[in-house]
Amino acid sequence: MEKCALVTGSSSGLGLEISKFLIDSGYTVFGGSRSGTELEHENFYDVELDITSEDSVEEFFETVREFTTKLDLIVNNAGICEMNSLSDTSLEQFEAHLATNTIGPFLLFKRLEPFLIKNETHIVSILSTAAKFGYPNVSAYNASKFGQLGFLESIKKEWKEHKVRFTNLLPGAIDTPLWDKMGSKFSREKMLKTSDFMSVFGFVINAPSTIQFPELTFLHKDGFIE
Ligand SMILES: NC(=O)c1ccc[n+]([C@@H]2O[C@H](COP(=O)([O-])OP(=O)(O)OC[C@H]3O[C@@H](n4cnc5c(N)ncnc54)[C@H](OP(=O)(O)O)[C@@H]3O)[C@@H](O)[C@H]2O)c1
């Protein structure tokens, strides 16, 4: 088998575009999501995954293990975002953000270690400017992404012996279905296009294997960072 990649949240938005890009770049891709994707390709495996469920993550890796024991690239991308003032944010909503955006990566990374290739595997996480800067009406999202960044910083040091690359991407707003799911009325004009995001992602993936991007922040030139 050629180079293997794992992509979480492959059914929509960035994860779907990333999966297509990687297939075109010669990777065999294992995509995980709850709803699955219409993407059909001999090098794409559409695997059911609910990142909030320990059993589901385990079953996901059992499926991947049937095909490969090594992963060249891991794209930690699955995530949710809803907008609400603090007073309108329910406990259930806050917990859902932590379950998907913080505990989800914890469950994922707990099973990743056996698949790492020393000196080679590249782990790319799609965080957000909201992992570093606070925004109004997204306290649950902010907390979950700050938490994920802290988790990744710890694992990066814990896994030093593996000499794998950790790249954390912190994009600003991108015009994807995420904003439709939120019912957002925000103008899309000051958002990056998915193609803008993909040009940065492609640059990162194709950079020499001696380079990692600990924190790459990027946004629309008229967008806001805080
Ligand atoms: N769009 C933006 O403005 C923006 C900006 C910065 C960072 N980001 C980050 O980029 C990532 C992708 O967002 P997007 O804009 O592409 O959103 P999207 O179109 O809504 O896609 C989100 C993906 O995450 C998956 N997902 C959600 N909950 C999941 C779960 N419990 N288990 C497995 N998969 C799950 C969804 O699949 P299913 O629903 O099928 O499970 C879907 O494939 C997220 O982490 C987001 O925080 C987005």
Side-chain angles (χ1 to χ4, degrees):
M1 197 179 273
E2 292 299 310
K3 290 177 294 182
C4 289
L6 183 160
V7 180
T8 66
S10 53
S11 61
S12 171
L14 305 182
L16 183 55
E17 292 308 313
I18 288 168
S19 298
K20 289 179 190 166
F21 169 85
L22 293 174
I23 292 166
D24 289 346
S25 306
Y27 283 86
T28 293
V29 177
F30 298 91
S33 66
R34 294 166 301 179
S35 52
T37 161
E38 74 277 11
L39 179 57
E40 282 183 20
H41 194 279
E42 57 181 348
N43 293 336
F44 181 72
Y45 294 85
D46 195 5
V47 187
E48 193 175 336
L49 171 68
D50 178 355
I51 201 133
T52 68
S53 156
E54 192 161 21
D55 289 345
S56 175
V57 174
E58 179 56 36
E59 281 169 30
F60 175 79
F61 276 106
E62 275 171 24
T63 304
V64 172
R65 213 176 286 121
E66 286 171 21
F67 298 94
T68 186
T69 54
K70 301 288 172 207
L71 290 167
D72 299 87
L73 174 66
I74 291 129
V75 186
N76 166 30
N77 163 75
I80 58 165
C81 179
E82 289 170 25
M83 290 196 84
N84 253 334
S85 66
L86 176 57
S87 54
D88 287 338
T89 301
S90 65
L91 174 61
E92 192 184 28
Q93 197 178 28
F94 200 92
E95 286 177 341
H97 281 78
L98 294 183
T100 309
N101 299 348
T102 316
I103 298 174
F106 157 73
L107 295 173
L108 179 80
F109 277 68
K110 250 175 98 76
R111 286 168 180 78
L112 270 186
E113 206 167 357
F115 292 89
L116 299 179
I117 310 166
K118 191 164 185 165
N119 275 319
E120 280 185 34
T121 298
H122 192 182
I123 301 173
V124 180
S125 293
I126 316 300
L127 289 135
S128 165
T129 50
K132 292 281 279 204
F133 303 99
Y135 299 105
N137 302 313
V138 284
S139 57
Y141 184 67
N142 257 146
S144 66
K145 288 284 183 177
F146 267 65
Q148 186 183 149
L149 182 58
F151 168 77
L152 291 169
E153 290 299 304
S154 171
I155 301 309
K156 180 177 178 173
K157 291 187 174 136
E158 193 170 320
W159 286 0
K160 217 165 181 178
E161 75 202 67
H162 297 308
K163 297 185 181 296
V164 296
R165 286 189 284 163
F166 275 81
T167 286
N168 293 335
L169 299 184
L170 278 67
I174 309 158
D175 186 1
T176 72
L178 179 123
W179 294 91
D180 304 325
K181 292 173 196 170
M182 276 196 264
S184 159
K185 294 185 176 57
F186 272 110
S187 160
R188 311 283 168 113
E189 275 173 32
K190 292 180 181 175
M191 293 185 185
L192 295 169
K193 295 185 186 352
T194 303
S195 55
D196 297 329
F197 172 88
M198 288 310 301
S199 69
V200 175
F201 184 85
F203 167 74
V204 163
I205 295 303
N206 291 320
S209 62
T210 47
I211 301 176
Q212 64 182 350
F213 301 86
E215 262 183 35
L216 185 53
T217 302
F218 56 103
L219 67 160
H220 189 284
K221 72 177 178 58
D222 298 327
F224 56 94
I225 197 155
E226 31 180 346

